[in-house]
């Protein structure tokens, strides 16, 4: 944990919005934006996990720390707020349309997180387990937490051609309310 | 004035939000409604460049701790009859939303509690699920095998329904520390008292023997029943030596309006001998 010094939110917002001059109104907008950015919670996908073309019979792994193809999303919320992040992970990718499938697996280092958008220095974690993190102690738009996700797909030797897709459900919740 | 603030803030939220592929912003993160005004509002904002399909549902749940002292959200789809769940009688209007890029949507949350509901506090979680409205990728025309994963994103916030006079408080036991490399673990047992969840914060202060504070840590807490909680206090830049650890548990919150925080007496404790090596 770290130091935190933030003004009370509601009173500041109301005080700012009550000020009449154009300059003040502009300032109020900026500050009010900051306040709602702080008290809101969001999770945003910024890049899907993309294996591209894979070779039949050859497993392919995307490392969340080193691959530009890793899935990526970010969480925005209350500065230094603690959150819980959980994943629902698929075991198979499905070809659309059609019944063909492809196995996919997620190892103990298949996810990686950091408070700043620097993938190369993120910390690995196991997406199969609930993950506890903290929003960066910074005002908007830097009140973030960034997550990268990798996986391994294992196409069969006689894998039917096509595009195989699946979905990861990522769930975020504060732990303090 | 108060009713104008949330929609204005929702509109302004777009200004500082980064453009991303898929996202839905949910505000506020904690909604409080009561028997006299049994409805409230939640705002959804799509700051992304893609259309989002959004659904809203309710489920009983609250923060709880495990044997390692870690806190997490316990979701209970089928709560026991004696658990104070509001999930079954909360409704969202609308329950499904299609949000275009940049669009915001006001969602009304309405409570219709059963007749004769005893005074007390009743809890639920609001689960907002967003999926990109992009159509599935068609099968490629050649013999290639391609693979990819998309994200379905869920944001969970709290909804609290209050009826009648309520009180809250917390009992603190078992305050102790354990030293790890670069981290001081502070353990506390917290037991809720009164008739409502304890929403507050803990503040730790590491002091020299003279009483001078050298480092502080503060974080929100929510005690719905009991918690056996471990707080990991990073010791970066702390010089080895003898210290004291002061703990303040209070209802101070910076992320929740003061009108929603139930008062309670603060609790202070001091561990006089904490050795940092």
């Amino acid at each position: 944990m770290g130091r935190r010094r933030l003004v009370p939110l509601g009173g500041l917002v109301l005080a700012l919005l009550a000020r009449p001059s154009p300059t003040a109104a502009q300032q109020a907008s900026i500050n009010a934006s900051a306040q709602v950015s702080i008290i809101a919670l969001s999770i945003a996908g910024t890049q899907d996990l993309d294996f591209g073309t894979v070779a039949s019979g050859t497993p392919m792994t995307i490392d969340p720390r080193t691959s530009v193809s890793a899935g990526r999303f970010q969480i925005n919320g209350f500065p230094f707020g603690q959150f819980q992040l959980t994943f629902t992970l698929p075991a198979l990718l499905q070809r659309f349309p059609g019944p063909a499938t492809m196995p996919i697996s997620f190892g103990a280092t298949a996810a990686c997180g950091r408070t700043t958008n620097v993938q190369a220095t993120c910390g690995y974690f196991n997406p199969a387990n609930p993950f506890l993190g903290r929003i960066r102690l910074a005002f908007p738009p830097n009140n973030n937490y960034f997550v990268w996700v990798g996986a391994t797909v294992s196409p069969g030797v006689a894998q039917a051609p096509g595009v195989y897709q699946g979905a990861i459900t990522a769930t975020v919740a504060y732990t303090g309310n | 004035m108060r009713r104008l603030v949330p929609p204005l803030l929702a509109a302004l939220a777009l200004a500082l939000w980064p453009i991303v592929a898929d996202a839905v912003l949910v505000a506020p993160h904690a909604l409080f409604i009561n028997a006299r005004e049994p409805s409230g509002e939640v705002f959804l904002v799509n700051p992304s460049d893609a259309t989002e399909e959004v659904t809203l549902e309710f489920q009983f749940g609250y923060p709880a701790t495990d044997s390692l002292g870690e806190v997490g959200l316990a979701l209970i789809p089928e709560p026991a009859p004696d658990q104070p769940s509001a999930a079954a009688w909360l409704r969202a209007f609308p329950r499904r939303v299609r949000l275009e890029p940049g669009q915001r949507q006001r969602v009304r949350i309405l409570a219709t509690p059963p007749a004769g509901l005893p005074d007390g506090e009743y809890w639920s979680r609001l689960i907002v699920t967003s999926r990109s409205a992009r159509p599935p990728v068609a099968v490629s025309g050649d013999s290639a095998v391609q693979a990819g994963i998309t994200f379905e994103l869920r944001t969970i916030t709290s909804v609290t329904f209050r009826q009648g006079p309520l009180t809250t408080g917390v009992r603190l036991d078992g305050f102790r520390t354990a030293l790890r490399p670069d981290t001081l673990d502070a353990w506390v047992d917290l037991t809720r008292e009164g008739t409502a969840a304890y929403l507050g914060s803990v503040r730790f202060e590491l002091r020299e023997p003279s009483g001078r504070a050298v480092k502080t840590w503060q974080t929100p807490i929510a005690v719905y029943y009991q918690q056996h909680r471990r707080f990991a206090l990073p010791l970066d830049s702390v010089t080895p030596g003898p210290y004291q650890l002061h703990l303040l548990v209070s209802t101070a919150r910076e992320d929740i309006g003061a009108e929603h925080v139930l008062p309670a007496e603060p609790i202070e404790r001091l561990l006089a001998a904490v050795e940092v090596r």
Side-chain angles (χ1 to χ4, degrees):
Chain A
M1 297 199 294
R3 292 175 197 275
R4 194 176 63 174
R5 280 278 180 256
L6 294 173
V7 294
L9 300 176
L12 176 61
V13 171
L14 289 172
L16 289 169
L17 293 179
R19 297 171 66 179
S21 75
T23 304
Q26 183 182 22
Q27 186 64 38
S29 297
I30 292 169
N31 283 287
S33 296
Q35 298 308 330
V36 78
S37 297
I38 287 174
I39 61 177
L41 177 63
S42 80
I43 180 170
T46 52
Q47 179 172 289
D48 290 339
L49 172 55
D50 183 14
F51 290 89
T53 300
V54 299
S56 297
T58 304
M60 180 178 180
T61 297
I62 287 182
D63 187 301
R65 184 188 279 175
T66 60
S67 174
V68 296
S69 299
R72 190 177 77 192
F73 59 90
Q74 69 186 66
I75 298 161
N76 291 69
F78 189 75
F80 203 61
Q82 188 184 50
F83 62 86
Q84 181 191 47
L85 177 65
T86 55
F87 293 97
T88 303
L89 303 168
L92 293 171
L93 301 183
Q94 185 86 39
R95 191 178 71 160
F96 178 81
T101 59
M102 181 189 302
I104 185 169
S105 59
F106 299 84
T109 59
C112 201
R114 187 178 165 84
T115 52
T116 54
N117 191 11
V118 184
Q119 182 182 7
T121 55
C122 62
Y124 286 118
F125 65 90
N126 188 343
N129 301 326
F131 173 76
L132 285 175
R134 286 190 182 277
I135 303 292
R136 184 181 178 190
L137 183 60
F139 282 98
N142 297 316
N143 52 328
N144 306 312
Y145 194 91
F146 296 87
V147 178
W148 294 264
V149 179
T152 298
V153 289
S154 303
V157 174
Q159 190 76 45
V163 177
Y164 292 76
Q165 290 185 301
I168 292 174
T169 300
T171 302
V172 65
Y174 284 128
T175 62
N177 60 281
Chain B
M1 180 66 184
R2 178 178 294 177
R3 294 189 64 81
L4 293 177
V5 173
L8 181 57
L9 293 181
L12 294 172
L14 291 170
L16 282 178
W17 221 257
I19 296 297
V20 292
D22 302 298
V24 167
L25 179 152
V26 183
H29 68 287
L31 179 67
F32 297 86
I33 53 181
N34 57 56
R36 284 181 286 109
E37 293 183 46
S39 70
E41 292 173 337
V42 169
F43 290 85
L44 309 176
V45 183
N46 179 4
S48 76
D49 58 4
T51 302
E52 295 285 323
E53 303 278 4
V54 183
T55 60
L56 298 93
E57 59 183 314
F58 297 95
Q59 197 170 116
F60 181 63
Y62 53 87
T65 51
D66 61 18
S67 60
L68 301 176
E70 296 280 12
V71 65
L73 183 64
L75 286 174
I76 303 167
E78 296 181 9
D82 62 340
Q83 290 185 297
S85 173
W89 37 269
L90 289 172
R91 298 284 182 273
F93 301 97
R95 196 167 61 85
R96 293 178 181 273
V97 183
R98 183 181 174 93
L99 285 178
E100 301 298 331
Q103 185 183 350
R104 61 186 183 276
Q105 173 74 46
R106 180 200 308 254
V107 176
R108 183 169 173 246
I109 307 297
L110 177 65
T112 53
L117 184 74
D119 284 354
E121 191 176 72
Y122 298 85
W123 312 319
S124 179
R125 298 284 147 173
L126 172 63
I127 303 174
V128 178
T129 303
S130 61
R131 307 174 184 83
S132 172
R134 287 175 297 194
V137 177
V139 175
S140 59
D142 55 27
S143 59
V145 178
Q146 297 181 338
I149 285 279
T150 58
F151 290 113
E152 177 181 278
L153 305 170
R154 299 204 311 170
T155 304
I156 301 181
T157 61
S158 64
V159 181
T160 302
F161 178 86
R162 290 170 172 168
Q163 176 166 300
L166 299 171
T167 62
T168 193
V170 71
R171 192 181 76 231
L172 190 156
D173 300 298
F175 180 32
R176 62 185 176 86
T177 60
L179 191 64
R180 288 187 289 149
D182 302 325
T183 302
L184 182 66
D185 284 335
W187 289 84
V188 293
D189 293 328
L190 299 165
T191 305
R192 195 206 81 189
E193 297 178 329
T195 54
Y198 183 90
L199 301 178
S201 64
V202 293
R203 185 176 189 274
F204 293 95
E205 192 172 271
L206 193 66
R207 297 174 175 173
E208 294 176 340
S210 65
R212 188 179 78 89
V214 296
K215 201 168 181 62
T216 60
W217 303 267
Q218 182 170 324
T219 193
I221 58 167
V223 185
Y224 283 66
Y225 291 109
Q226 290 180 314
Q227 289 194 354
H228 177 59
R229 183 88 184 258
R230 178 175 60 86
F231 297 94
L233 313 178
L235 290 173
D236 48 289
S237 76
V238 174
T239 306
Y243 291 92
Q244 301 171 338
L245 186 64
H246 178 263
L247 167 61
L248 171 66
V249 183
S250 73
T251 52
R253 289 291 290 248
E254 293 166 329
D255 60 328
I256 295 176
E259 70 274 22
H260 300 307
V261 177
L262 297 173
E265 286 296 315
I267 300 172
E268 294 187 71
R269 295 284 190 278
L270 183 71
L271 289 179
V274 175
E275 189 72 23
V276 174
R277 294 186 292 273

